[in-house]
Amino acid sequence: MLNSRVFDYRIWVTLILSLGFGFVLNKLVPILSEKPLFLLALPLGVLFFVVLVVKPKWVLAAIILTRPLLDNLLNLTKSSNSGEAQGIGLGAILNLAIIALAVFLCIHYSTFPRRNKVVLSWFIYLFFMFLSVCYSPFRVEGLRSLFNYFSYFAMFIIPFLIIKNKEDFLFWFKVFAWSFVLPIFFANIDMIHGGRHYEDAGDRIAGTFTHPNILAFYLVLGMTTYFYILKSGYWKFRPQTLWAIRILMLNMLVLLIATKTRNAWIACFIGFSIYGYLKDKRFLFFLFLFLFLSFLVPQVKDRILTVFQDKESSDYQGMNSFVWRLHMWGSSLSMIEQKPLQGYGLDTFIPMSAQFSDVGANGAHNTYLQVLFETGIFGLLSFISLFLSPLIIFFKNMRKTANHSQARLWAILVGYVVSYIIICSADNLTYYLVFNWYVWFFIGMMMLSEKFLYD
């Protein structure tokens, strides 16, 4: 009888990683050969995967703490050719690492949240995404997006695999909370240097991310995380630490304003308003007072008033961004009506938008419309269920608990999920890989909070 060690999961994970690593290197080496500095990173990449097999939790902690800092660096390693608009780079290795880590942990702990309703929603969504790749005329781009979606799912289930008790939960929540500190630090540096000029909005900051919108949505998640910490009472802080957290939240609010991302402003306000309406009416007073005072800030006032102007910049063919979005959405409807059930295939909206749009080829700037265009009505319903499922769970937990403090925490989570749903209505959320990693890791942890935190 064969020794069972022959089938050790470490061997299989190592083989899978080697195949993926080899494929990525095959694409990257011709590009990196012209960039000797990046070639030095290859031995570190090999070491990274060795540690992944031996100490997977160390690797996860390192990724969570550093990944928001790496977007611009990883983009420098992307290859690009006529067949691959966005190219492939070292970021694909990190995607592979997250997916492999989730598989590794599933096998190692022999556990998987099969009965979780959000997991079921993910299975259905990924199934429709896979089908849409099969008939997409842009299969390479579609496969890349499908790969990204699998990494989002991996980040969601990883908390179920690594958190076994209250101590684990508190540890990983602290790791998650600390991951916002360095991106905030670098965003402050970006703000001090004046940020980057955009034709449609003036000077905006992006920090370590590739676009101000991504930083803005990331900051909303960060503010929610630290607000949850302040309201939870599960960490005993000194008064100085509590003030440091409050100052950090205020800093994030200032940075959020400096991104000039109106969609994030609206989502943040509505998310916290929902918390106030559900569980803390006094909070609403301060929230609306802040809303009034924010209109006294020239940058905020000007950014909001441009929505009602006829013209804003040449970047939007002489239209402001809101009118431009309406034109893009309206012009796509005739195409959607031709294939309402199955759509045109994953990752087809941008390349096909030049055929139907009167405002040029671009993203939909509406995640629901993009998913409907690419995967049809069933794909859209499966996407909506991804967020309705945790929203319903959080809301039911809030209603059934008799503990007011715990109910407030559930209300914070309800507000955040609603804010994400709002964000999707005016931006290309599925493309924002790092942001979605942290959103889904956060949701995964919060679904475990009832088990490990609430007595």
Side-chain angles (χ1 to χ4, degrees):
M1 186 174 180
L2 290 176
N3 190 326
S4 61
R5 290 180 179 272
V6 173
F7 301 99
D8 193 313
Y9 62 89
R10 294 179 180 85
I11 297 175
W12 294 108
V13 171
T14 303
L15 287 174
I16 294 171
L17 291 175
S18 299
L19 287 173
F21 193 61
F23 172 77
V24 173
L25 284 183
N26 183 56
K27 294 285 187 179
L28 286 179
V29 167
I31 305 299
L32 299 184
S33 61
E34 300 176 2
K35 304 176 181 179
L37 180 62
F38 287 110
L39 284 175
L40 296 177
L42 296 182
L44 294 177
V46 175
L47 178 62
F48 173 84
F49 280 103
V50 171
V51 177
L52 173 64
V53 175
V54 179
K55 294 289 184 180
K57 291 184 179 180
W58 291 5
V59 170
L60 177 62
I63 290 176
I64 291 175
L65 289 170
T66 61
R67 185 59 184 88
L69 308 174
L70 302 179
D71 266 3
N72 289 301
L73 179 63
L74 294 175
N75 279 346
L76 294 176
T77 69
K78 282 188 177 181
S79 62
S80 181
N81 55 50
S82 59
E84 296 175 315
Q86 296 179 355
I88 186 172
L90 291 176
I93 297 179
L94 286 177
N95 283 15
L96 175 66
I98 285 296
I99 296 172
L101 178 60
V103 174
F104 183 94
L105 292 171
C106 282
I107 300 173
H108 179 70
Y109 292 113
S110 300
T111 58
F112 188 84
R114 298 179 182 86
R115 298 181 180 180
N116 187 286
K117 293 181 179 179
V118 184
V119 170
L120 177 60
S121 296
W122 263 109
F123 282 159
I124 296 172
Y125 175 70
L126 291 173
F127 173 73
F128 282 113
M129 295 304 105
F130 171 76
L131 288 182
S132 68
V133 171
C134 295
Y135 56 82
S136 172
F138 306 98
R139 288 191 179 88
V140 173
E141 291 79 3
L143 283 171
R144 180 167 42 238
S145 293
L146 181 65
F147 190 58
N148 289 343
Y149 300 155
F150 269 103
S151 72
Y152 303 164
F153 175 58
M155 288 298 288
F156 170 71
I157 64 169
I158 282 175
F160 293 89
L161 307 174
I162 61 175
I163 298 176
K164 303 300 180 183
N165 50 52
K166 181 176 180 178
E167 289 69 29
D168 285 345
F169 182 94
L170 295 178
F171 170 78
W172 286 106
F173 198 98
K174 284 191 287 186
V175 170
F176 184 77
W178 272 104
S179 69
F180 291 92
V181 174
L182 284 178
I184 291 170
F185 173 77
F186 287 109
N188 278 306
I189 293 178
D190 191 16
M191 183 170 61
I192 292 171
H193 286 86
R196 177 182 171 186
H197 186 76
Y198 290 78
E199 289 295 329
D200 64 308
D203 295 333
R204 305 174 67 183
I205 65 167
T208 57
F209 297 96
T210 56
H211 195 278
N213 289 2
I214 307 176
L215 173 62
F217 303 143
Y218 180 76
L219 289 170
V220 174
L221 177 61
M223 293 173 65
T224 303
T225 300
Y226 280 94
F227 190 65
Y228 186 95
I229 290 174
L230 290 176
K231 295 296 182 181
S232 68
Y234 289 106
W235 292 270
K236 302 302 179 183
F237 297 118
R238 296 177 180 178
Q240 302 93 319
T241 305
L242 287 174
W243 276 108
I245 292 175
R246 295 185 183 108
I247 292 172
L248 184 64
M249 289 187 65
L250 180 61
N251 187 190
M252 284 191 276
L253 183 60
V254 172
L255 293 172
L256 178 61
I257 293 173
T259 63
K260 295 187 177 180
T261 304
R262 292 166 298 200
N263 193 14
W265 296 349
I266 295 170
C268 184
F269 178 78
I270 292 179
F272 281 99
S273 294
I274 288 174
Y275 160 76
Y277 175 76
L278 292 174
K279 290 300 171 184
D280 192 349
K281 297 295 192 298
R282 293 176 299 176
F283 186 75
L284 286 176
F285 169 77
F286 295 102
L287 202 60
F288 279 94
L289 176 62
F290 171 78
L291 178 64
F292 172 76
L293 293 176
S294 66
F295 280 97
L296 302 179
V297 179
Q299 292 86 344
V300 175
K301 178 182 176 182
D302 293 343
R303 187 71 173 139
I304 293 175
L305 289 179
T306 54
V307 174
F308 305 101
Q309 296 174 356
D310 293 331
K311 294 182 179 293
E312 184 174 338
S313 76
S314 57
D315 265 13
Y316 293 99
Q317 291 81 37
M319 295 176 284
N320 68 56
S321 58
F322 179 68
V323 175
W324 178 89
R325 279 171 166 80
L326 292 178
H327 275 265
M328 175 64 79
W329 302 341
S331 59
S332 67
L333 293 179
S334 59
M335 293 283 289
I336 292 174
E337 289 173 353
Q338 297 177 30
K339 291 187 176 182
L341 296 181
Q342 78 274 28
Y344 292 88
L346 198 60
D347 238 305
T348 55
F349 190 96
I350 292 179
M352 295 184 67
S353 62
Q355 301 176 22
F356 62 79
S357 174
D358 55 358
V359 292
N362 212 313
H365 289 74
N366 183 313
T367 306
Y368 306 112
L369 188 71
Q370 174 201 329
V371 174
L372 177 61
F373 182 93
E374 296 180 352
T375 63
I377 186 64
F378 296 112
L380 176 61
L381 292 175
S382 68
F383 176 76
I384 293 174
S385 73
L386 286 182
F387 298 96
L388 282 185
S389 297
L391 180 62
I392 292 171
I393 291 171
F394 295 154
F395 186 78
K396 285 183 176 179
N397 288 340
M398 181 195 71
R399 293 294 298 273
K400 74 180 182 182
T401 183
N403 187 307
H404 181 67
S405 296
Q406 294 173 7
R408 290 195 305 178
L409 298 181
W410 289 120
I412 293 172
L413 302 179
V414 169
Y416 180 73
V417 176
V418 172
S419 73
Y420 188 99
I421 292 172
I422 292 171
I423 290 171
C424 287
S425 66
D427 218 304
N428 305 306
L429 261 290
T430 57
Y431 297 141
Y432 299 159
L433 184 140
V434 178
F435 169 66
N436 281 294
W437 275 18
Y438 286 76
V439 167
W440 283 108
F441 190 83
F442 178 72
I443 291 176
M445 281 197 304
M446 293 300 97
M447 295 195 72
L448 290 168
S449 62
E450 181 182 25
K451 180 178 180 181
F452 295 121
L453 294 189
Y454 306 149
D455 299 323

